[in-house]
Amino acid sequence: AQSVSQHNHHVILSEAASLELGCNYSYGGTVNLFWYVQYPGQHLQLLLKYFSGDPLVKGIKGFEAEFIKSKFSFNLRKPSVQWSDTAEYFCAVSISGGYNKLIFGAGTRLAVHP
Amino acid sequence: DAGITQSPRYKITETGRQVTLMCHQTWSHSYMFWYRQDLGHGLRLIYYSAAADITDKGEVPDGYVVSRSKTENFPLTLESATRSQTSVYFCASRETSGDGYNEQFFGPGTRLTVL
């Protein structure tokens, strides 16, 4: 069965620190990849997505992610985090042609201290 | 306003009671989804629907029932609530796409507590 692993469950950073959140998936075929963010008390919002082309994807609020097919990874990065980035981040995978059923990772809670 | 709404936002019920969570979207999206969010598990798919009157099971369907008589509505019913169904429930929808790369849009969630 397909699965998504997020390596860090909790991350604590100071403002201006760099961020990298790991995401690995298990599926050998064509996939679409997503990062969603959930700010405290809010619903999930799309940060960025990859479905083809340039493996380096830029999203909203200065986030980017790199798809490395050989490593089955889609890590999220931000060079300098802000207090407002405090949220939970979810990596998700959909199998191409599979009704777009999203398989989510367990999530990473990021706390950014001023 | 256009979007996806869920009601109620908060619900407390007792074991054994039937509970229905409502989801409504104004985009006429074909696909709709129900997820539950639990600590340490992320979001898990309960049921999804590809169109009106077409539904299918997701990863954790046991104890839940769905219907889709109208494109815009996708209610989720807990036939006999159990404590293990205490969770936050998210409804989502997306446009029709043969390749599946369109993003899903999520509702605000319903926090359900079963006592």
Side-chain angles (χ1 to χ4, degrees):
Chain A
Q2 299 86 27
S3 65
V4 178
S5 298
Q6 292 184 240
H7 314 300
N8 314 99
H9 296 294
H10 292 92
V11 173
I12 301 173
L13 295 173
S14 298
E15 277 193 317
S18 64
L19 171 71
E20 180 160 4
L21 302 182
C23 173
N24 286 89
Y25 64 93
S26 63
Y27 182 70
T30 302
V31 295
N32 303 310
L33 299 156
F34 305 80
W35 275 99
Y36 279 85
V37 61
Q38 185 178 29
Y39 297 104
Q42 296 190 23
H43 60 280
L44 275 78
Q45 304 170 41
L46 183 69
L47 265 182
L48 46 80
K49 63 183 178 184
Y50 170 83
F51 46 91
S52 66
D54 189 343
L56 185 61
V57 179
K58 294 193 183 297
I60 61 171
K61 304 186 180 185
F63 286 91
E64 65 179 29
E66 183 176 14
F67 172 48
I68 303 179
K69 189 174 182 179
S70 61
K71 295 185 178 180
F72 300 91
S73 70
F74 190 55
N75 292 353
L76 181 71
R77 299 194 292 247
K78 186 172 184 178
S80 177
V81 294
Q82 301 173 326
W83 176 79
S84 58
D85 292 325
T86 294
E88 190 158 16
Y89 293 82
F90 294 94
C91 181
V93 171
S94 73
I95 308 304
S96 184
Y99 289 104
N100 195 28
K101 288 187 290 184
L102 282 176
I103 302 165
F104 283 86
T108 297
R109 292 195 173 200
L110 172 65
V112 180
H113 292 169
Chain B
D1 289 343
I4 184 165
T5 57
Q6 294 182 235
S7 61
R9 295 293 312 281
Y10 302 90
K11 177 73 177 178
I12 299 174
T13 191
E14 295 177 338
T15 301
R17 290 190 180 268
Q18 185 179 80
V19 177
T20 296
L21 309 183
M22 304 302 294
C23 178
H24 176 79
Q25 52 106 353
T26 60
W27 294 303
S28 298
H29 286 170
S30 295
Y31 285 91
M32 295 188 75
F33 307 83
W34 273 108
Y35 296 89
R36 58 177 291 173
Q37 182 183 26
D38 303 291
L39 195 63
H41 291 280
L43 278 78
R44 292 179 291 176
L45 181 66
I46 304 171
Y47 269 95
Y48 68 98
S49 170
D53 297 322
I54 301 175
T55 63
D56 205 351
K57 296 178 180 179
E59 184 184 358
V60 288
D62 293 343
Y64 302 96
V65 174
V66 293
S67 61
R68 185 111 181 261
S69 58
K70 293 183 178 181
T71 299
E72 61 267 29
N73 296 325
F74 191 39
L76 175 74
T77 298
L78 288 66
E79 294 184 298
S80 178
T82 65
R83 290 196 181 91
S84 65
Q85 292 177 310
T86 293
S87 186
V88 180
Y89 292 85
F90 286 99
C91 180
S93 71
R94 76 159 180 87
E95 296 175 351
T96 301
S97 169
D99 195 31
Y101 61 81
N102 284 334
E103 69 175 284
Q104 291 186 18
F105 294 89
F106 286 80
T110 294
R111 185 175 294 276
L112 175 68
T113 302
V114 183
L115 302 176

